């Protein structure tokens, strides 16, 4: 049995210990004394250097370690847990922020669909797309080795950037994957008629990274109008407030200060 | 910093691109709303780089790219199109495009691509 050093959360505190692992189980020593069957794991989430492992009997294990250790653990879990798995080719990321990545290539590997995310696993990579960060799914065609092939296109948010990934596998499997993703992310669907054209333009400008002042100038609308559009976008769940900017005017003391300052 | 010609048939997209490029300290030397206009303005303005929409009336972006490359084989053209039309990439790159942007795009990535092409 191999052993790796990790930090594990127990009763709200992090403790350093060595966990053992084999192809079918993870063994956590005293004082936790747990044996996690890999098949009993139905979800893993990754947050920075931390893995959250959830089992079918509703137990959660939070563990942190160096990337090399997490890479080994993730591989064992993803290939043995109770996820829906399929062999596929994937390209991730293919487009980042609207710019095509010229070095992107198809990689052969597996796709594991878990409760909170989809994982692309190849020899070199383990990429997770959390389901709550999937901004779009499409069944489309793409040229692969000179031939038009059906692919699933997944748009997702990664570090505030919109990233596009592609999955290639037999059409029937693609349809299962597409339907599953469509269904699990249906709460994010927006109908085209839900927004008026100006609000839609504002949403696109926010997407492009424009701030409020730039948007006002670009489409020539007042601050009052943009505030009302923001209210509409917040109400429909399309945007969230990240900062409230204040407008100020000088007091008498301020006017005196500025007047004095220009004399020196 | 580069002198850039922005080509797109929608004023909204042209304005957005101009704002993004301007924020990256580039000069917008002109704008065109179709392929024919783009070729005419390229000949007259000799910009350092062109951002070229693909689907446009009169003459599309690929035809305009061909005409510009015939006029100036060293022209730097970044193609710009909607999601789902990425298949045009191969054709555009074969024709001589130096970069490709997919709408909708994010400002920092557009500037990164434009700067990469300008410095290439």
């Amino acid at each position: 049995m191999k052993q790796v050093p990790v930090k594990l959360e127990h009763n709200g505190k992090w403790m350093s210990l060595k966990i053992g692992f084999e192809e079918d189980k993870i063994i956590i020593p005293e004082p936790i004394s747990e044996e996690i069957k890999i098949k009993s794991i139905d979800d893993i989430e990754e947050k920075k250097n931390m893995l959250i492992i959830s089992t079918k009997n509703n137990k959660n294990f939070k563990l942190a370690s160096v990337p090399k250790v997490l890479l080994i653990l993730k591989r064992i879990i993803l290939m043995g847990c109770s996820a829906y798995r399929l062999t596929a080719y994937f390209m991730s990321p293919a487009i980042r922020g609207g710019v095509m990545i010229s070095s992107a290539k198809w990689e052969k590997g597996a796709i594991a669909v878990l409760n909170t995310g989809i994982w692309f696993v190849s020899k070199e990579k383990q990429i997770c797309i959390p389901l709550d960060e999937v901004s779009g799914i499409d069944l489309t065609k793409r040229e692969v080795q000179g031939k038009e092939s059906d692919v699933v296109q997944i748009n997702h948010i990664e570090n505030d950037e919109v990233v596009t990934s592609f999955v290639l596998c037999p059409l029937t499997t693609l349809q299962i994957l597409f339907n599953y993703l469509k269904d699990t992310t249906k709460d994010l669907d927006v109908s085209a008629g839900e927004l008026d054209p100006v609000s839609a333009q504002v949403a696109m400008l926010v997407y492009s990274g424009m701030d409020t002042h730039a948007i006002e100038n670009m489409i020539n609308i007042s601050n009052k109008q943009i505030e009302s559009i923001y209210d509409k976008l917040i109400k429909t769940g399309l945007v969230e407030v990240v900062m409230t900017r204040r407008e100020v005017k000088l007091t008498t003391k301020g006017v005196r200060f500025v007047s004095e300052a220009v004399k020196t | 910093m580069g002198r850039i010609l922005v080509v797109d048939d929608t004023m909204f997209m042209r304005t957005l691109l101009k704002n993004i490029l301007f924020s990256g300290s580039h000069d917008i030397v002109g704008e065109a709303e179709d392929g024919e206009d783009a070729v005419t303005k390229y000949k007259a303005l000799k910009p350092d780089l062109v951002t070229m929409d693909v689907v446009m009336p009169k003459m599309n972006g690929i035809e305009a790219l061909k005409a510009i490359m015939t006029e100036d084989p060293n022209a730097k053209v970044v193609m710009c199109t909607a999601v789902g039309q990425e298949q045009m990439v191969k054709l555009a790159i074969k024709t001589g495009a130096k970069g490709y942007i997919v709408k909708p795009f994010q400002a920092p990535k557009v500037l990164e691509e434009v700067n990469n092409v300008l410095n290439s």
Side-chain angles (χ1 to χ4, degrees):
Chain A
M1 186 176 65
K2 287 174 187 165
Q3 284 193 317
V4 284
V6 298
K7 282 191 172 176
L8 215 136
E9 197 191 55
H10 182 55
N11 294 334
K13 285 181 182 168
W14 286 94
M15 53 172 48
S16 297
L17 40 82
K18 277 190 175 177
I19 60 167
F21 67 89
E22 290 171 8
E23 282 302 305
D24 63 340
K25 63 186 170 195
I26 296 171
I27 297 142
I28 304 170
E30 287 180 342
I32 302 171
S33 303
E34 285 272 1
E35 186 177 291
I36 310 168
K37 295 270 183 217
I38 302 291
K39 273 192 178 170
S40 76
I41 297 172
D42 63 3
D43 199 26
I44 57 167
E45 287 177 79
E46 187 174 30
K47 286 176 183 168
K48 289 187 179 169
N49 281 338
M50 187 174 77
L51 269 191
I52 304 169
I53 302 170
S54 308
T55 64
K56 283 178 183 169
N57 51 4
N58 295 323
K59 282 188 177 174
N60 288 328
F61 300 91
K62 278 186 193 171
L63 58 89
S65 192
V66 292
K68 202 175 166 184
V69 168
L70 295 182
L71 199 81
I72 298 166
L73 287 175
K74 279 187 288 180
R75 175 176 293 278
I76 290 170
I77 295 169
L78 288 167
M79 298 317 287
C81 71
S82 72
Y84 172 64
R85 258 184 309 276
L86 53 128
T87 306
Y89 286 85
F90 63 85
M91 189 190 277
S92 182
I95 302 169
R96 189 181 282 280
V99 176
M100 308 211 58
I101 297 169
S102 53
S103 58
K105 56 180 183 185
W106 288 103
E107 291 182 71
K108 192 180 178 184
I111 290 178
V113 182
L114 285 97
N115 296 343
T116 54
I118 315 161
W119 288 78
F120 297 152
V121 190
S122 71
K123 269 186 183 171
E124 293 90 24
K125 279 185 185 173
Q126 292 163 339
I127 298 167
C128 179
I129 302 177
L131 289 177
D132 58 5
E133 289 177 9
V134 172
S135 58
I137 309 125
D138 207 359
L139 195 54
T140 181
K141 288 194 183 291
R142 202 170 167 87
E143 198 178 293
V144 183
Q145 291 179 335
K147 199 174 81 177
E148 285 267 292
S149 303
D150 293 291
V151 295
V152 168
Q153 175 181 319
I154 306 169
N155 296 330
H156 49 106
I157 316 288
E158 194 182 289
N159 302 325
D160 285 339
E161 287 180 339
V162 183
V163 171
T164 300
S165 301
F166 294 103
V167 179
L168 171 71
C169 57
L171 185 58
T172 45
T173 320
L174 274 186
Q175 267 159 349
I176 295 169
L177 180 66
F178 174 73
N179 292 340
Y180 171 79
L181 289 174
K182 264 284 183 204
D183 192 49
T184 48
T185 61
K186 64 175 180 242
D187 291 346
L188 300 174
D189 282 351
V190 188
S191 73
E194 213 167 307
L195 282 183
D196 59 273
V198 180
S199 302
Q201 282 188 342
V202 170
M204 187 176 285
L205 293 172
V206 173
Y207 181 109
S208 297
M210 300 285 128
D211 63 21
T212 303
H213 188 61
I215 295 171
E216 284 169 13
N217 287 336
M218 268 190 69
I219 52 178
N220 202 17
I221 55 173
S222 67
N223 185 260
K224 207 173 167 182
Q225 283 171 300
I226 203 163
E227 286 293 332
S228 142
I229 291 170
Y230 280 174
D231 284 342
K232 206 182 303 173
L233 295 176
I234 291 167
K235 207 173 162 186
T236 47
L238 298 190
V239 300
E240 59 187 351
V241 177
V242 287
M243 182 174 67
T244 307
R245 187 170 287 170
R246 290 185 291 182
E247 291 295 333
V248 295
K249 70 169 192 170
L250 285 179
T251 59
T252 309
K253 190 177 175 182
V255 173
R256 181 181 288 192
F257 169 78
V258 173
S259 307
E260 287 300 319
V262 293
K263 287 180 188 168
T264 55
Chain B
M1 195 179 90
R3 297 171 62 255
I4 299 178
L5 171 66
V6 175
V7 186
D8 198 296
D9 60 334
T10 65
M11 194 205 271
F12 175 73
M13 270 299 159
R14 290 201 303 274
T15 313
L16 175 56
L17 272 168
K18 281 192 297 180
N19 269 269
I20 291 172
L21 296 167
F22 190 69
S23 73
S25 304
H26 296 291
D27 256 355
I28 313 303
V29 290
E31 51 186 289
E33 53 187 72
D34 59 61
E36 274 180 17
D37 195 17
V39 178
T40 309
K41 287 199 169 133
Y42 186 87
K43 288 175 184 171
L45 300 166
K46 298 279 178 212
D48 299 326
L49 184 140
V50 182
T51 65
M52 177 83 76
D53 188 19
V54 172
V55 182
M56 288 185 294
K58 290 188 191 172
M59 182 191 273
N60 71 34
I62 302 286
E63 289 172 282
L65 170 68
K66 273 183 197 162
I68 288 173
M69 295 310 294
T70 308
E71 168 76 18
D72 175 7
N74 296 318
K76 290 178 173 174
V77 181
V78 173
M79 303 305 287
C80 183
T81 192
V83 172
Q85 294 171 334
E86 297 93 341
Q87 294 302 329
M88 304 297 277
V89 176
K90 217 170 176 181
L91 183 57
I93 287 171
K94 212 171 156 185
T95 312
K98 302 290 188 293
Y100 215 95
I101 302 168
V102 182
K103 296 175 198 169
F105 40 69
Q106 293 181 295
K109 290 288 154 188
V110 172
L111 287 174
E112 202 179 295
E113 180 76 346
V114 163
N115 291 337
N116 281 344
V117 172
L118 278 170
N119 295 328
S120 65

